[in-house]
Amino acid sequence: MTETEKRPRRAARPRDAATLILLRQRRGKSQVLMGKRHARHKFMPEVHVFPGGRVDRADRYIKPATDFDPRVAAVLERSTLSHTRARAAALAAIRETFEETGLIIGRRHIEPARTANESWQEFYRTGYAPALDGLAYICRAITPPFRPQRFNARFFVADGEDVKGDMGGSGELLDLDWFTLDKALTFELAGITTIVLNRLKELGEVTVEELRDHPVPYYRTSYGKRVVSEE
């Protein structure tokens, strides 16, 4: 064994990321919007996911039409985030949802957008600015050490009845559709996605407003074991 082989590989530093779960009720059952990642993706190919992705630098400079509900802001800032970084995470979730699904979480705006970011320019061309007041924050998860890509991901929920636009998006997510929680749990999923779906299932026909009053779990791995604490 060489000296290089003896040294443990250093875990990659997790990058900030965010996910948005669109939740709605149909015939007494909760439904969520999900799509399947393309086979060409290096990270989780052909796995069903909620819309989401990495936080971009531009997300820190976008001015939302509305800010967080105070309960959501308090939990996010308690989890070591500055208000600017917390807003960037939520805005990334909204931007990624727009890119991947074509759906808009926002309010009508009059002022022209001031951003060089192409994705945000396209968002503003719809006539809307992103809105944060309709979001609930339900959990945080950090990818286990020694995975090739690691994310410090925050999961938000928005009311699926309150979105604007037509479903379509970039085509990054295939088979994009609304699924009951039971149906979604039959797909190939990342571990954290299974955890989130089961938690929503346990909560029953919960609304976004009600979710803001529930504890926010934080999932991470320590010495090979999953650790769950509260934000």
Side-chain angles (χ1 to χ4, degrees):
M1 182 179 292
T2 67
E3 183 180 349
T4 302
E5 290 172 331
K6 291 178 183 177
R7 289 198 302 264
R9 183 164 56 90
R10 180 176 294 178
R13 183 177 180 179
R15 297 190 60 176
D16 280 347
T19 292
L20 184 58
I21 302 163
L22 294 179
L23 178 70
R24 72 181 190 183
Q25 305 297 326
R26 285 291 186 275
R27 299 178 182 177
K29 293 186 177 181
S30 296
Q31 293 184 336
V32 290
L33 184 68
M34 300 186 76
K36 185 171 70 172
R37 289 175 62 83
H38 201 282
R40 67 172 176 266
H41 282 289
K42 292 182 179 179
F43 185 70
M44 296 195 304
E46 298 187 293
V47 170
H48 272 78
V49 296
F50 306 114
R54 292 179 297 189
V55 178
D56 288 347
R57 182 177 177 82
D59 299 325
R60 290 175 173 259
Y61 304 101
I62 297 300
K63 182 179 179 181
T66 57
D67 213 329
F68 293 117
D69 178 284
R71 289 165 292 176
V72 174
V75 178
L76 283 165
E77 291 173 29
R78 197 161 62 234
S79 71
T80 71
L81 282 182
S82 66
H83 193 72
T84 298
R85 193 174 160 203
R87 288 203 318 188
L91 288 165
I94 291 174
R95 172 181 52 76
E96 289 282 351
T97 297
F98 175 67
E99 292 174 3
E100 295 175 353
T101 73
L103 298 177
I104 301 162
I105 293 86
R107 300 287 182 269
R108 285 287 182 185
H109 77 100
I110 299 173
E111 296 181 4
R114 297 181 179 179
T115 175
N117 182 275
E118 292 183 6
S119 294
W120 278 116
Q121 286 178 348
E122 187 174 351
F123 187 104
Y124 278 108
R125 279 196 288 270
T126 66
Y128 290 89
L132 307 184
D133 60 325
L135 301 182
Y137 173 47
I138 64 163
C139 74
R140 176 160 68 114
I142 295 184
T143 311
F146 307 116
R147 294 285 178 86
Q149 294 188 60
R150 299 186 70 215
F151 298 101
N152 184 2
R154 289 172 170 84
F155 288 72
F156 297 91
V157 179
D159 189 343
E161 305 289 3
D162 194 35
V163 298
K164 286 84 176 176
D166 298 317
M167 197 150 67
S170 63
E172 183 176 344
L173 295 183
L174 308 177
D175 304 329
L176 192 64
D177 206 348
W178 295 93
F179 301 101
T180 65
L181 303 182
D182 285 334
K183 179 63 178 178
L185 284 164
T186 68
F187 298 141
E188 184 177 353
L189 305 167
I192 185 60
T193 307
T194 300
I195 290 171
V196 170
L197 287 168
N198 277 319
R199 181 160 182 261
L200 290 173
K201 189 175 178 179
E202 289 171 4
L203 292 172
E205 295 175 43
V206 67
T207 65
V208 174
E209 174 65 22
E210 291 167 339
L211 282 169
R212 296 191 183 109
D213 292 318
H214 282 272
V216 178
Y218 168 31
Y219 304 96
R220 63 193 188 281
T221 302
S222 179
Y223 298 102
K225 295 183 179 181
R226 176 172 288 149
V227 178
V228 185
S229 56
E230 187 177 320
E231 289 276 70

